[in-house]
Amino acid sequence: MSTGVSIAAMSRYAILGCGSVGHAVAEDLVEQGKDVLIVDKDEGRVEALRDQDLNAQTADIRDPETAEAVDDCDVVLIMSSDIEANKEAVGNIRERNGDQFVVVRASDPVSGDELTELGADVVINPSSVIADAAMRSLESGELEYRATQLSEVLRDANDRVAIFTNESPDPDSIASAAALQAIASHLGVDADICYLGDIGHQESRAFVNLLGIELLNWADIEDRDQYDTMAVVDHAKGGEEFDIEVDIVIDHYESDEEWDATFVDVRPNVSSTSTIMTKYIQEFDMKVDEAVATALLYGIREETLDFKRDTTPADLTAAAYLYPFANHDLLEQVESPSMSPETLDVLAEAIQNREVQGSHLVSNAGFIRDREALAQAAQHLLNLEGITTTAVFGIADDTIFLAARSKDIRMNIGKVLSDAYGGIGEAAGHSTQASAEISLGIFTGIETNDENRDTLLSLTEEAVKRKLFEAMGVESGESSNGS
């Protein structure tokens, strides 16, 4: 087989068997200035090809002499519809020459495997090629249809559009909202990005500050009547209930919530909502703003763990499109935000108090002030060797807050937390990240004060760990600390 030579560097081609497929290939190659020799056993077809000023000769592609005639060609394309003849042609060529690049037509996967074993470099199955082309056309048409629907809903806004992220905005949610805001602006519609909770994670705060993305806290907006169109993006993984009437929903996770919206685009077959929004920006043929491109690229990278988790071809092509427009210096700053003293304290407590059962780690961070620090600690602990699932919990305002992360493809951590605490508290999330809130009184029935803090912490730790490990399918007891 050929090695170390690029197709672009090859100039002399042979086409063995010139039906409609071979003819089309020959015309394209000649247009590119390639030297093309066509071999076919049908004399009438050869004459017709010569009348078109193509270099064609009559011969049976099965004959060993045909392999000899194409010895000086860099690339041999065997395009006959007779697959048995194609097999003999490949065998003859490989017996004479091991360096030619050979492309062969197959009829099905079985014949494709046989042709590969005979020495073909590339095997083409026309039915698969047609199916792939049909799917690409279908996807392109579907995106065009959806973009038209989205533009109609946005243009129907008489006043402003409110675009909601999830409750505690993360990079994918923020980036998707920024992209939808840019699309609205492209269509001549004013839009604001809103959130319902807190921007607690340092990474999200750095993301917003560095890229200059303006987010409005819904609680601080006095004149809510200015918004007559409501949109939610990347909302499902937040898990919180949403009691505002919604017109637009765009997400990459299925939601437990029933959306009665005019426009809904939910695609679980991609790994980030940023990917979906990038496709819309391409479809609208917009000039992508540097800040939006940077945000979307980071949103994709964050959701796929830098393309190491659940990455799809759509995520990769979206990232490739965004790459030239993004500010990579800003990306580097977003990826390395400073850690607050509170987060450092929570992480230190979580490391010290960790309990490991198999590849599952659960830890108590004690009494906390910043609940977002739990999520960061859970993410950091996931980097420990041999750990696939982490859960870190702490107590604040008479409530137990728990954040969990998982890279175990066999486990849905959102379901685990729901099984463990759904009956006594609130749990939300999906396969890779989740959170839970439980009233402290559920476990202890004791009111918190300065004198009983340590007792409450001890009682809570035992109960929370036991229920969580049980939901994971392991027993809490003697264990290592993961060292």
Side-chain angles (χ1 to χ4, degrees), residues 435-450:
S435 61
E437 297 181 19
I438 313 108
S439 171
L440 189 59
I442 293 290
F443 283 122
T444 65
I446 304 171
E447 187 178 344
T448 310
N449 58 53
D450 291 339

Side-chain angles (χ1 to χ4, degrees), residues 153-161 189-190 226-229:
V153 177
L154 288 171
R155 283 188 167 122
D156 281 345
N158 294 318
D159 296 313
R160 300 179 73 83
V161 178
V189 178
D190 293 327
Q226 66 181 302
Y227 303 105
D228 64 344
T229 301

